[in-house]
Amino acid sequence: MRLSVIANSLGYDRFIVIPARKFGNSVERNRIRRQMKEIFRLYDGRLMPQSEHSAIGHDFALVVFPGKLSSHSLLESDFLSLLDRVAGK
């Protein structure tokens, strides 16, 4: 997985999951999208701290490469470690 973060001026965060070209069939690509969007929804407050009156949000782009599909808990821990790396923790 590779995560990119860019600031936007919308005041809220957006998230996109992009499976790599050879990521399997449509069922597997849609499954990974649903799983990662659910993880994003659960950890939305942890992503990038912002004040209540801030007009700055972030765009998160997650590129998922082919390989053995992991369980939901492994995907979650990988995603959180990527967030920590991006946030500089």
Side-chain angles (χ1 to χ4, degrees), residues 11-12 48-58:
Y12 56 89
M48 293 287 180
Q50 52 189 347
S51 66
E52 293 180 20
H53 304 293
S54 175
I56 296 174
H58 297 89

Side-chain angles (χ1 to χ4, degrees), residues 32-79:
I32 195 73
R33 279 190 192 110
R34 285 192 312 271
Q35 286 180 333
M36 295 311 299
K37 286 185 178 192
E38 177 64 14
I39 292 169
F40 176 78
R41 186 187 69 77
L42 291 174
Y43 291 96
D44 189 24
R46 179 183 173 182
L47 299 180
M48 293 287 180
Q50 52 189 347
S51 66
E52 293 180 20
H53 304 293
S54 175
I56 296 174
H58 297 89
D59 293 332
F60 295 88
L62 180 68
V63 180
V64 183
F65 295 99
K68 188 176 180 180
L69 284 179
S70 301
S71 67
H72 186 77
S73 61
L74 288 175
L75 285 173
E76 185 175 3
S77 65
D78 289 346
F79 181 68

